[in-house]
C-alpha cells in the first residue's frame, strides 16, 4: 500500500503545481456535472475546490484500491451539498471512474446529491445534513487514539454550517480530549444560502472562539495552494491540540460572475454562462 | 445470578460483553449511575467515554467510532436518546447503517418522579420509523442478558429500551434467543395478548385472572418490535376471537401499531390496544400508581379482552 504520496514536511513546487492543476480540473468537472444534472451548489464547489485538491493530491494518505484500509487518513466532507467538487476530487484520486461523474444526481445514481457511503468508495460516511461531520470526525479521532493508530482525521465544514450547535459540542469534546490527530477546515467564504454569515447569525470572532475551545487555529488564504499544503500537511505530532484551519475563500472562486454572490449558492449556469465559466477555467 | 432490576442486569451484561470483545465501547451523557453504565466504567475506564451533557454529540461521536470498527453503546435516558438526538441517530447512524447500540434507559413511565419531560412514551414510534434501526424491549432481565449477547454480531443500529425498575422473571431461562424472536409464553384459544417489556408480566397476570373466569388467553412476548416477525404475529393472532396489544407506550406508533401493520392483509379477530393515551405523563409518587393512571394494569387488560369478547 502506497501511503506516503504527500511531501508532509516540505511543500515542493511540483506538489503545488499538481494541486493547482487538480483544483482547476475539479472546478471544470463540478460545473459540467451541475449543468448536466440541472442542479447543484456551484458557489460552494468553487470555494472548496482548492481545499479538496490540496487534501486529495498533497495531504491525505490513502490507496484508492483499498478504500477501507485501516491505516488510511480519514476525510469527512461535512458540507455534503458541495458534492460536485467532492465527487470530482474522489474520481480524480482514483476511487471510481471519472466517467461515472456523468451520472451525477441521475435517478439511482451512486452519485447522490449528498454523498452516501453505501454507494461510493472513498466516501467515509454519508453527509449532507449540516453539523453532522464534526462529531463523527471526533469519534474517528477518538477511535484512532484507542487503537494507537497514526492516521489523521480531517473534516471540512462550511462557515454557515458553524451555526449548528453540534459543531461546538464536538469542539468541546475534541478540545477536552486534546485530539491532535483531528483537523477541522472551515470553508470561510462568508456567504450562506440566503445572505452573508455576519448578516445572518454572525460567527466572528471565529478564530478566538475555536482557540477558547482549546484548539490551535491557523487562518489562511483558502485558495493559496502552498499555504493549504503547508498547514494541512504539517505533521500532527508536535501539536497537543486539535487544529482548526480557517480557510478564507470566495464563494464561486474561479468564475467571475459567480464570485461572492449568494445567489450562486444553488443554481445552474445557462449555456452562455457555462461557456464563459469554462473559458475562465482554461489552463 | 441474574439481577431482578432491569438496568442492573443491563449494566452487568454490558460488562460481560466488554470482557468478551474489545470493540465494545461505552459512551455516557452524565447519567451513568442511572443507566448503570458506571459498571462498565469501573472495569474498562479506557473504553468508557464520559461525553458530558451533550447527547447529540455523544450520538454522532459513536457513529465515528463505529466507522472505525468499534461497537459503541451510547447511554442516556430514552427520552434524550430518541428525542434530543433524533437527527443524529437518523443521519449520523442509521443512514450509513452503523453498528451503534443505543440504550434508552429509564424508558416508558419508569422515571415516574421526573414527570412528562423525562418520561418516554413515544420512543418506540420514533425509532421504529427510521430505516435500518432495530428496536428491542426485554420483558425481563433474563431476556435482557440474552439480547445483549446478540448485539455483538447484529448488523446495523439497535435501540434497546430499558426500564429502571425491577421486573418479575417471565421468560424461560434456558431457551435460546435471537433478535427478531416473538415468543408465546402461554397458549390460549379465546384471546391473544401481544405484549412488550413490563407489560408482558402484566399480561400474564391478566391471563390468570381471565382463566379463572373461563377465558383462555394466549400471551405473546414481542421483545423485538422491529424487525417484526410478521409471520409469527399472524400465526399467534390466528384461531382466537379477540386480540389485545399491551405496551408501556403511546397508543400511537408503538407495539399496537406494529401488530396491526403485520395483520393488515389478513383476516383477523377484533383488536384493541392497551397503552398510554395521546397525552404527556405526570410526576407521580410511585411507578405502580402512574401505570394505573393510564390503565397499564392487569385489570385493564382483562377488561379490554372481555369487552372484545362481549363477556362484560
Amino acid at each position: 500500500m502506497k501511503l506516503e504520496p504527500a511531501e508532509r514536511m516540505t511543500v515542493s513546487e511540483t506538489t503545488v503545481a499538481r494541486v493547482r492543476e487538480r483544483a482547476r480540473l475539479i472546478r471544470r468537472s463540478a460545473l459540467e456535472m451541475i449543468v448536466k444534472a440541472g442542479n447543484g451548489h456551484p458557489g460552494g464547489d468553487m470555494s472548496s475546490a482548492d481545499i479538496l485538491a490540496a487534501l486529495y493530491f498533497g495531504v491525505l494518505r490513502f490507496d484508492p484500491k483499498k478504500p477501507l484500509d485501516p491505516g488510511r487518513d480519514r476525510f469527512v466532507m461535512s458540507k455534503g451539498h458541495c458534492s460536485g467538487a467532492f465527487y470530482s476530487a474522489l474520481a480524480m484520486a482514483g476511487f471510481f471512474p471519472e466517467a461515472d461523474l456523468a451520472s451525477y444526481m441521475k435517478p439511482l445514481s451512486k452519485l447522490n446529491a449528498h454523498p452516501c457511503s453505501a454507494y461510493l468508495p472513498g466516501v467515509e460516511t454519508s453527509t449532507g445534513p449540516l453539523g453532522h461531520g464534526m462529531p463523527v470526525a471526533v469519534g474517528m479521532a477518538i477511535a484512532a487514539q484507542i487503537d494507537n493508530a497514526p492516521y489523521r482525521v480531517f473534516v471540512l465544514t462550511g462557515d454557515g454550517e458553524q451555526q449548528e450547535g453540534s459543531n461546538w459540542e464536538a469542539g468541546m469534546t475534541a478540545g477536552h480530549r486534546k485530539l491532535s490527530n483531528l483537523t477541522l477546515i472551515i470553508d470561510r467564504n462568508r456567504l450562506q444560502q440566503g445572505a452573508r454569515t455576519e448578516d445572518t447569525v454572525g460567527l466572528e470572532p471565529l478564530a478566538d472562539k475555536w482557540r477558547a475551545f482549546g484548539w490551535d487555529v491557523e487562518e489562511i488564504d483558502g485558495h493559496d495552494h502552498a499555504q493549504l499544503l503547508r498547514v494541512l500537511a504539517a505533521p500532527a505530532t508536535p501539536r497537543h491540540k486539535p487544529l482548526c484551519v480557517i480557510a478564507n475563500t470566495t464563494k464561486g472562486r474561479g468564475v467571475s460572475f459567480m464570485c461572492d454572490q449568494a445567489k450562486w449558492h444553488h443554481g445552474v449556469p445557462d449555456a452562455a454562462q457555462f461557456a464563459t465559466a469554462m473559458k475562465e477555467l482554461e489552463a | 445470578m441474574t439481577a431482578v432490576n432491569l438496568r442492573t442486569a443491563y449494566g452487568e451484561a454490558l460488562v460481560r460483553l466488554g470482557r468478551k470483545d474489545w470493540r465494545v465501547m461505552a459512551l455516557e451523557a452524565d447519567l451513568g449511575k442511572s443507566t448503570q453504565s458506571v459498571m462498565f466504567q469501573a472495569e474498562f475506564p479506557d473504553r468508557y467515554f464520559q461525553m458530558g451533557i451533550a447527547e447529540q454529540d455523544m450520538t454522532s461521536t459513536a457513529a465515528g467510532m463505529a466507522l472505525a470498527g468499534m461497537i459503541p453503546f451510547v447511554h442516556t435516558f430514552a427520552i434524550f436518546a430518541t428525542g434530543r438526538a433524533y437527527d443524529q441517530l437518523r443521519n449520523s447512524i442509521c443512514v450509513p447503517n452503523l453498528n451503534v447500540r443505543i440504550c434508552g434507559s429509564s424508558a416508558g413511565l419508569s422515571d415516574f418522579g421526573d414527570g412528562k419531560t423525562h418520561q418516554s412514551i413515544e420512543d418506540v414510534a420514533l425509532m421504529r420509523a427510521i430505516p435500518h434501526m432495530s428496536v428491542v424491549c426485554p420483558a425481563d432481565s433474563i431476556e435482557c442478558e440474552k439480547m445483549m449477547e446478540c448485539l455483538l454480531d447484529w448488523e446495523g443500529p439497535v435501540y434497546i429500551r430499558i426500564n429502571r425498575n425491577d421486573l418479575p422473571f417471565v421468560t424461560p431461562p434456558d431457551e435460546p434467543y435471537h433478535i427478531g424472536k416473538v415468543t408465546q409464553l402461554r397458549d390460549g384459544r379465546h384471546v391473544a395478548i401481544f405484549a412488550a417489556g413490563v407489560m408482558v408480566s402484566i399480561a400474564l397476570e391478566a391471563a390468570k385472572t381471565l382463566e379463572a373466569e373461563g377465558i383462555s388467553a394466549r400471551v405473546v412476548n414481542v421483545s423485538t418490535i422491529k424487525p417484526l416477525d410478521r409471520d409469527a404475529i399472524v400465526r399467534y393472532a390466528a384461531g382466537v376471537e379477540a386480540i389485545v396489544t399491551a405496551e408501556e407506550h403511546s397508543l400511537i406508533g408503538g407495539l399496537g401499531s406494529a401488530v396491526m401493520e403485520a395483520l393488515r392483509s389478513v383476516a383477523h379477530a377484533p383488536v384493541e390496544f392497551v397503552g398510554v393515551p395521546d397525552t404527556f405523563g405526570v410526576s407521580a409518587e410511585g411507578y405502580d400508581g402512574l401505570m394505573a393512571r393510564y390503565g397499564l394494569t392487569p385489570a385493564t387488560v382483562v377488561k379490554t379482552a372481555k369487552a372484545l369478547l362481549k363477556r362484560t
Side-chain angles (χ1 to χ4, degrees):
Chain A
M1 175 175 178
K2 43 168 185 151
L3 272 182
E4 296 293 341
E7 294 91 323
R8 276 209 161 152
M9 303 301 287
T10 53
V11 179
S12 72
E13 283 299 318
T14 329
T15 312
V16 174
R18 178 175 69 221
V19 168
R20 181 182 303 120
E21 177 60 5
R22 290 297 184 175
R24 185 181 71 82
L25 295 175
I26 286 171
R27 286 191 169 91
R28 288 180 65 92
S29 167
L31 284 180
E32 283 172 4
M33 289 160 69
I34 288 167
V35 167
K36 207 169 279 178
N39 202 349
H41 293 85
D45 282 339
M46 300 302 115
S47 75
S48 59
D50 298 301
I51 298 164
L52 291 166
L55 284 168
Y56 280 94
F57 303 102
V59 176
L60 297 172
R61 296 173 310 147
F62 60 88
D63 178 351
K65 301 283 179 293
K66 295 179 190 162
L68 296 178
D69 188 287
R72 73 193 184 279
D73 286 339
R74 270 68 163 175
F75 171 65
V76 177
M77 181 67 171
S78 193
K79 49 178 304 183
H81 59 286
C82 295
S83 51
F86 181 46
Y87 290 150
S88 299
L90 287 176
M92 288 174 199
F95 284 101
F96 53 86
E98 288 188 51
D100 290 0
L101 295 172
S103 74
Y104 185 46
M105 292 199 218
K106 296 279 183 277
L108 303 180
S109 169
K110 291 176 180 173
L111 281 71
N112 199 50
H114 293 98
C116 181
S117 52
Y119 295 165
L120 273 184
V123 176
E124 293 287 350
T125 191
S126 304
T127 54
L130 297 176
H132 277 263
M134 253 295 277
V136 172
V138 167
M140 291 173 166
I142 291 174
Q145 283 195 340
I146 298 168
D147 285 342
N148 201 19
Y151 65 81
R152 294 178 64 186
V153 182
F154 296 83
V155 53
L156 175 63
T157 76
D159 53 357
E161 183 178 0
Q162 292 282 306
Q163 288 157 357
E164 291 279 10
S166 50
N167 292 298
W168 301 97
E169 288 189 7
M172 264 197 287
T173 298
H176 175 75
R177 294 187 176 275
K178 301 183 169 51
L179 299 177
S180 57
N181 54 352
L182 176 67
T183 300
L184 158 67
I185 309 159
I186 302 172
D187 183 2
R188 185 74 173 111
N189 61 34
R190 298 183 171 266
L191 283 169
Q192 51 196 100
Q193 171 148 282
R196 301 208 168 268
T197 57
E198 300 314 286
D199 295 335
T200 308
V201 173
L203 302 172
E204 295 299 337
L206 191 55
D208 290 346
K209 284 176 181 163
W210 281 103
R211 282 193 194 99
F213 273 60
W215 290 56
D216 284 336
V217 178
E218 296 263 13
E219 294 181 83
I220 61 166
D221 176 346
H223 301 304
D224 182 320
H225 306 107
Q227 276 190 50
L228 280 164
L229 288 165
R230 179 180 57 74
V231 167
L232 296 176
T237 30
R239 231 181 313 112
H240 299 289
K241 295 175 179 180
L243 173 65
C244 169
V245 177
I246 299 178
N248 288 301
T249 56
T250 303
K251 202 158 190 165
R253 167 80 176 211
V255 180
S256 55
F257 60 86
M258 287 186 184
C259 276
D260 204 30
Q261 300 286 319
K263 67 175 180 186
W264 283 104
H265 173 87
H266 193 274
V268 184
D270 63 26
Q273 288 170 325
F274 180 60
T276 306
M278 294 307 266
K279 191 157 177 50
E280 290 180 8
L281 291 169
E282 277 172 10
Chain B
M1 199 172 115
T2 301
V4 176
N5 185 274
L6 193 59
R7 54 182 170 156
T8 307
Y10 171 86
E12 290 171 352
L14 184 64
V15 170
R16 279 195 294 275
L17 291 193
R19 286 180 196 142
K20 202 185 254 189
D21 195 322
W22 70 270
R23 297 173 301 165
V24 173
M25 305 287 152
L27 293 86
E28 175 59 65
D30 201 21
L31 288 169
K33 284 180 197 158
S34 288
T35 64
Q36 286 298 325
S37 71
V38 283
M39 293 187 195
F40 192 91
Q41 180 183 29
E43 185 153 339
F44 305 105
D46 295 342
R47 288 153 61 189
Y48 185 81
F49 297 88
Q50 177 54 261
M51 300 300 292
I53 308 165
E55 295 80 9
Q56 296 157 279
D57 186 45
M58 171 172 71
T59 304
S60 290
T61 302
M65 293 168 76
L67 281 162
M70 288 155 188
I71 309 176
F73 284 68
V74 304
H75 298 85
T76 182
F77 284 4
I79 191 73
F80 309 133
T82 62
R84 180 109 196 174
Y86 178 85
D87 183 52
Q88 283 72 21
L89 281 182
R90 183 190 186 277
N91 288 312
S92 288
I93 292 176
C94 290
V95 168
N97 198 19
L98 302 178
N99 291 338
V100 178
R101 293 22 179 148
I102 301 100
C103 172
S105 203
S106 291
L109 300 171
S110 66
D111 187 8
F112 54 85
D114 282 330
K116 63 185 78 176
T117 53
H118 286 57
Q119 294 157 358
S120 67
I121 49 163
E122 68 276 22
D123 55 331
V124 173
L126 286 168
M127 293 301 97
R128 220 163 61 80
I130 312 179
H132 291 150
M133 182 69 95
S134 297
V135 180
V136 296
C137 181
D140 62 13
S141 296
I142 298 168
E143 192 169 50
C144 177
E145 288 180 349
K146 293 180 191 170
M147 270 176 184
M148 291 291 282
E149 292 291 321
C150 299
L151 296 184
L152 291 180
D153 298 326
W154 183 259
E155 284 296 319
V158 181
Y159 175 65
I160 315 142
R161 195 176 202 237
I162 298 291
N163 284 43
R164 63 192 287 137
N165 46 295
D166 297 351
L167 285 175
F169 293 152
V170 292
T171 63
D174 300 324
E175 206 169 283
Y177 179 85
H178 62 87
I179 291 177
K181 190 167 183 175
V182 170
T183 321
Q184 178 179 285
L185 295 178
R186 179 190 166 110
D187 200 6
R189 62 186 189 281
H190 295 126
V191 57
I193 307 169
F194 292 96
V198 56
M199 293 307 289
V200 174
S201 49
I202 288 173
L204 285 166
E205 268 191 63
K208 275 189 215 159
T209 308
L210 288 165
E211 189 176 37
E213 299 184 32
I215 297 169
S216 156
R218 179 180 296 167
V219 175
V220 181
N221 173 21
V222 191
S223 55
T224 303
I225 300 174
K226 187 186 168 191
L228 188 63
D229 184 344
R230 193 173 174 184
D231 292 343
I233 299 292
V234 169
R235 192 165 65 246
Y236 292 130
V240 292
E241 297 158 42
I243 298 165
V244 176
T245 65
E247 61 193 308
E248 186 196 14
H249 185 272
S250 169
L251 292 172
I252 298 170
L255 173 68
S257 304
V259 166
M260 285 306 286
E261 288 159 19
L263 296 177
R264 68 186 178 272
S265 59
V266 297
H268 57 80
V271 183
E272 189 51 273
F273 296 175
V274 172
V276 181
D278 184 19
T279 180
F280 291 115
V282 292
S283 286
E285 286 182 343
Y287 183 51
D288 293 345
L290 191 59
M291 292 286 278
R293 178 187 173 98
Y294 298 112
L296 306 183
T297 59
T300 311
V301 175
V302 167
K303 201 172 120 190
T304 306
K306 284 163 73 175
L308 283 176
L309 293 166
K310 304 193 192 316
R311 298 267 297 262
T312 46

